[in-house]
Amino acid sequence: MSNGSDPIALDQALASFDALWSPRVVTHVNDYDVRVAKVAGEHVWHAHDTTDEFFLVLDGELHLSLREPAGERTVRLPRGSVFTVPRGTEHRPYAPEGAAILMFEPTGTSTVGDRHDDLPAHVDATTGHALGT
């Protein structure tokens, strides 16, 4: 993780681990983590009750299914796209062909939110791992 004086190469950070749905914290901004993750297949339906969740697709394509008052919809995010899931919105990220993503969220935020479906074995319920782990 950056101590603020050294730049972080995101491609090198992503190359340092193989685990899917298991984000690594690359730096902090105030009380927020900047996390990168490799993703493929489906995550779980979940919601963050007190915080929005920001996604930037670094490589591949990420899909976000959303349960909103008007109904369910899916947002497709190709490489270079950003999207913020509003707090309290149930959502399920998935990447049919795999993707690399960057997330920006308050330190301590769980990857499976405050409310979630049963966790499959491939989903890491974490608040982010340090680079190199």
Side-chain angles (χ1 to χ4, degrees):
M1 179 172 45
S2 172
N3 61 9
S5 63
D6 298 317
I8 299 276
L10 293 179
D11 57 343
Q12 291 176 2
L14 285 160
S16 73
F17 65 97
D18 292 321
L20 297 175
W21 300 111
S22 185
R24 300 308 193 260
V25 178
V26 293
T27 192
H28 297 286
V29 178
N30 297 316
D31 297 330
Y32 284 76
D33 290 342
V34 178
R35 303 174 185 178
V36 294
K38 294 177 180 178
V39 299
E42 296 184 356
H43 199 268
V44 295
W45 281 103
H46 67 284
H48 302 278
D49 291 333
T50 60
T51 186
D52 300 337
E53 187 171 19
F54 171 87
F55 293 89
L56 164 64
V57 179
L58 301 171
D59 193 29
E61 183 173 277
L62 182 70
H63 298 209
L64 288 168
S65 294
L66 305 166
R67 290 180 177 152
E68 299 172 312
E72 194 172 304
R73 70 179 174 121
T74 298
V75 176
R76 185 181 63 86
L77 303 172
R79 182 180 181 272
S81 296
V82 299
F83 187 82
T84 300
V85 175
R87 70 189 67 192
T89 301
E90 287 185 274
H91 60 287
R92 178 180 54 97
Y94 64 100
E97 304 297 321
I101 60 175
L102 180 142
M103 295 162 291
F104 187 72
E105 51 200 348
T107 299
T109 300
S110 170
T111 56
V112 296
D114 303 305
R115 296 176 279 122
H116 56 78
D117 287 348
D118 291 334
L119 297 180
H122 72 278
V123 172
D124 184 11
T126 180
T127 57
H129 299 287
L131 277 177
T133 62

